[in-house]
Amino acid sequence: MKLATYDNGRRDGQLMLVSKDLTKAMAVPAIANTMQQLLDTWELLQPQLQELYEALNTGLIDNAQAFDEMRCLSPLPRAYQWADGSAYVNHVELVRKARGAQMPDTFWTDPLVYQGGSDCFIGPKADIEMASEAFGIDFESEIAVITDDVAMGVSAEDAEQHIKLLMLVNDVSLRNLIPGELAKGFGFFQSKPSSAFSPVAVTPDELGDKWLDSKVHLPLVTHFNGELFGRPNAGVDMTFDFSQLVAHVAKTRPMAAGAIVGSGTISNYDRSAGSSCLAEKRMLETIEHGEATTAFMHFGDTVRIEMFDEQDNSIFGSIDQKVVQYQG
């Protein structure tokens, strides 16, 4: 099943059911008006939506409209929780190597997670508004899951059943603000502005055998200023799978329906696949040449993030964004 949220002038938007090929959509107000309403009552409402979804895909819905990604907000325009991990530890290792820092062995056994701001996500086609290029503006191409209610202390074995939807993410980072914040020993805040999510969220079954062991075994494709930047496989070199990440987040607290957990920047040891953020490319340049030559994003720069199935069909729609100067 595929779902989206249209901008209808209200804070939480209008829930839309979207066809598998991303060509048709329909509102389902008799079932749920918003994505959060659906997630709050998933077990009751999902079977009703699934029946409609099958009818939509077989052309049995007369009032379906053309699906328009430009009308989409992030599937959850705001959420009760947004916890982003760093599941590709080779990426973390590379970051530390570039600055000559030793990586603790525990990084391979205990996930890294930070709590991001979840009160105002930006849309998949919305501009990234920043006050200054000096912040070191970067994109991070990732995957995220949305859960239903998760009990505190859930095991990794039981966590997968709570994963209801998957999305793509642009976890915008302000690299030049990060060192000062981390030096305080209290984590990210100003350096992690609003994130953007793909136009469409999908149930795991939509991925078929590419959803295996709580990982998505497909490349995540990023274009920077219209040129291919990277297509690392999200199922390769993922040290902690999504079930392990959910269990880690819920170790000492329950998670409410609609909680989002991210994978962190997709990264492969095979560097021929390219990268999913500018910082990683800069790290590789520093290691190889002694200095980074790739700049962070400037006003006017664009990023496109998308994932395709084996028939080259877009699964989630695309995140397409431009960096612009904030005028507020």
Side-chain angles (χ1 to χ4, degrees):
M1 188 163 60
K2 298 192 176 187
L3 301 161
T5 295
Y6 272 4
D7 185 354
N8 64 350
R10 297 181 179 181
R11 191 185 293 265
D12 295 310
Q14 174 68 58
L15 177 66
M16 301 295 293
L17 189 63
V18 182
S19 63
K20 187 177 184 67
D21 62 4
L22 305 183
T23 63
K24 294 175 290 186
M26 60 180 293
V28 287
I31 298 175
N33 281 308
T34 67
M35 185 74 78
Q36 187 61 53
Q37 288 177 2
L38 170 61
L39 289 160
D40 283 339
T41 324
W42 181 269
E43 295 303 321
L44 175 65
L45 300 182
Q46 185 273 338
Q48 301 174 52
L49 270 181
Q50 184 65 38
E51 186 175 341
L52 273 179
Y53 181 65
E54 292 168 5
L56 181 63
N57 285 321
T58 52
L60 298 178
I61 303 295
D62 294 330
N63 62 340
Q65 57 187 272
F67 177 53
D68 185 359
E69 290 188 25
M70 297 302 297
R71 294 183 62 186
C72 289
L73 303 172
S74 285
L76 278 170
R78 56 178 174 169
Y80 290 115
Q81 180 162 211
W82 160 226
D84 198 18
S86 193
Y88 298 83
V89 178
N90 83 83
H91 173 76
V92 182
E93 186 177 40
L94 192 62
V95 173
R96 297 178 72 88
K97 183 178 180 181
R99 66 172 189 261
Q102 188 74 21
M103 190 175 79
D105 291 340
T106 55
F107 280 30
W108 294 102
T109 58
D110 195 33
L112 292 170
V113 175
Y114 83 90
Q115 186 137 19
S118 60
D119 52 338
C120 55
F121 298 134
I122 53 180
K125 310 297 185 182
D127 290 338
I128 300 168
E129 297 181 306
M130 285 295 146
S132 172
E133 293 178 347
F135 291 164
I137 307 162
D138 199 359
F139 56 84
E140 291 193 63
S141 304
E142 308 182 8
I143 301 171
V145 299
I146 305 177
T147 73
D148 62 3
D149 291 303
V150 181
M152 182 171 64
V154 69
S155 67
E157 291 74 23
D158 291 336
E160 185 170 346
Q161 66 183 309
H162 294 287
I163 295 172
K164 300 306 179 186
L165 294 167
L166 295 102
M167 309 179 288
L168 305 183
V169 192
N170 180 13
D171 178 43
V172 182
S173 293
L174 304 178
R175 300 295 185 182
N176 293 340
L177 301 186
I178 288 176
E181 288 203 303
L182 294 185
K184 297 176 182 178
F186 221 54
F188 302 118
F189 196 86
Q190 291 179 339
S191 53
K192 289 291 186 176
S194 297
S195 298
F197 296 83
S198 52
V200 173
V202 312
T203 50
D205 62 285
E206 288 291 327
L207 298 173
D209 62 3
K210 300 306 179 184
W211 174 249
L212 180 67
D213 299 327
S214 287
K215 300 177 184 179
V216 179
H217 294 266
L218 287 167
L220 183 57
V221 182
T222 302
H223 284 83
F224 179 48
N225 288 332
E227 296 186 0
L228 180 64
F229 188 82
R231 55 185 322 274
N233 193 303
V236 176
D237 303 321
M238 189 180 191
T239 308
F240 305 103
D241 62 41
F242 279 110
S243 293
Q244 291 172 306
L245 291 174
V246 170
H248 180 85
V249 172
K251 182 175 180 177
T252 59
R253 64 176 98 170
M255 297 166 63
I260 305 172
V261 179
S263 65
T265 307
I266 311 297
S267 179
N268 291 167
Y269 276 113
D270 179 4
R271 305 303 179 192
S272 68
S275 298
S276 296
C277 68
L278 292 167
E280 182 171 285
K281 186 173 183 180
R282 287 169 56 86
M283 293 168 216
L284 290 168
E285 291 168 347
T286 299
I287 292 168
E288 185 174 358
H289 305 295
E291 63 177 352
T293 56
T294 296
F296 289 122
M297 299 182 84
H298 298 292
F299 298 138
D301 283 347
T302 62
V303 62
R304 180 183 178 99
I305 302 167
E306 197 163 9
M307 180 173 279
F308 302 89
D309 64 20
E310 291 182 307
Q311 289 73 47
D312 207 31
N313 300 308
S314 182
I315 299 171
F316 301 88
S318 67
I319 297 172
D320 276 294
Q321 297 183 288
K322 179 191 288 186
V323 176
V324 302
Q325 188 159 24
Y326 178 59
Q327 299 295 335

